[in-house]
Amino acid sequence: MPADDAGPDAVSVRRAEPTDAPRLRELNEVALRQVDAYAEDAVEEGMDDDLEDVEANYVAVGGDFLVAEVDVDSHATIVGMGALEPVGDHTFKADRIVEPADGATAEITRMRVAPEFQRRGIGTRLVERLETRARELGYETIVLDTTARQDGAQRLYEGFGYEHEDTVQWREYEVMLYKKALDTDDAGAP
């Protein structure tokens, strides 16, 4: 998958590579700590181990894992990430809102943007690309989750037409579950 370049203040979106693993873990922690949603005990229990091998955990099972990069001091720096995976036994919580009529369903997960790069369209670019990949891979529906503490993420997803379907409790977090039926003619955000 080629990188997607968007001009002088370019945000380049590409598939994650094995060498990105340390930055993926770092970005995951920083972005979740910013909204007080980092579950340290769950990480210690292996919750983030999937980030060590995104090829095996996402791409090889019918999904994808994308990163957004910007030029920082003449060095490409990962400032955002997002993944797509087929709904199944490993899916976090969003699988509970999937119904047989939804058809082939994927989950958007691991959506993170570095705090200092938020509100610059990076999350929007990642969701657009993940939805495009979902269509290319034959998915008909996308589900996702975010915590009630993540107002920005809620606005982003709702702006793309995701509908809040349910709220569940996980540890001390209220987890909001969203769903969207993909239309092959749908171009993403309005």
Side-chain angles (χ1 to χ4, degrees):
M1 164 181 277
D4 176 20
D5 191 5
D9 282 332
V11 174
S12 178
V13 178
R14 65 169 173 82
R15 177 175 284 159
E17 300 170 354
T19 56
D20 296 332
R23 177 61 182 151
L24 300 179
R25 278 189 174 272
E26 177 186 29
L27 179 57
N28 184 62
E29 180 175 348
V30 167
L32 289 176
R33 283 193 188 280
Q34 178 207 18
V35 292
D36 195 27
Y38 187 71
E40 197 150 352
D41 54 338
V43 172
E44 290 171 5
E45 294 167 7
M47 184 172 186
D48 291 349
D49 290 353
D50 61 303
L51 297 174
E52 293 302 320
D53 189 353
V54 297
E55 177 70 31
N57 292 304
Y58 294 93
V59 180
V61 298
D64 213 338
F65 199 109
L66 305 179
V67 296
E69 293 179 316
V70 297
D71 184 41
V72 176
D73 298 326
S74 301
H75 182 264
T77 301
I78 295 172
V79 298
M81 65 186 199
L84 184 72
E85 66 180 341
V87 168
D89 295 337
H90 58 282
T91 308
F92 181 59
K93 294 285 182 190
D95 61 327
R96 72 183 286 136
I97 60 172
V98 176
E99 300 171 13
D102 292 331
T105 303
E107 178 182 25
I108 288 180
T109 186
R110 297 296 187 186
M111 279 291 300
R112 311 284 186 262
V113 176
E116 65 272 23
F117 288 92
Q118 291 175 0
R119 302 194 58 80
R120 297 185 188 187
I122 294 168
T124 298
R125 290 280 301 279
L126 285 165
V127 172
E128 289 170 348
R129 289 289 300 275
L130 289 166
E131 286 188 353
T132 297
R133 286 297 293 141
R135 287 182 189 90
E136 292 169 354
L137 293 167
Y139 293 107
E140 300 169 55
T141 302
I142 297 178
V143 294
L144 56 84
D145 66 69
T146 190
T147 69
R149 300 173 184 182
Q150 294 173 274
D151 296 329
Q154 293 166 43
R155 285 190 304 274
L156 174 68
Y157 301 138
E158 290 167 4
F160 271 91
Y162 288 85
E163 294 184 16
H164 178 225
E165 298 274 328
D166 197 5
T167 300
V168 297
Q169 192 71 30
W170 180 73
R171 299 179 186 240
E172 70 267 25
Y173 306 100
E174 281 185 273
V175 178
M176 301 175 71
L177 308 179
Y178 285 84
K179 181 170 29 175
K180 177 181 178 178
L182 292 177
D183 178 355
T184 54
D185 296 329
D186 186 8

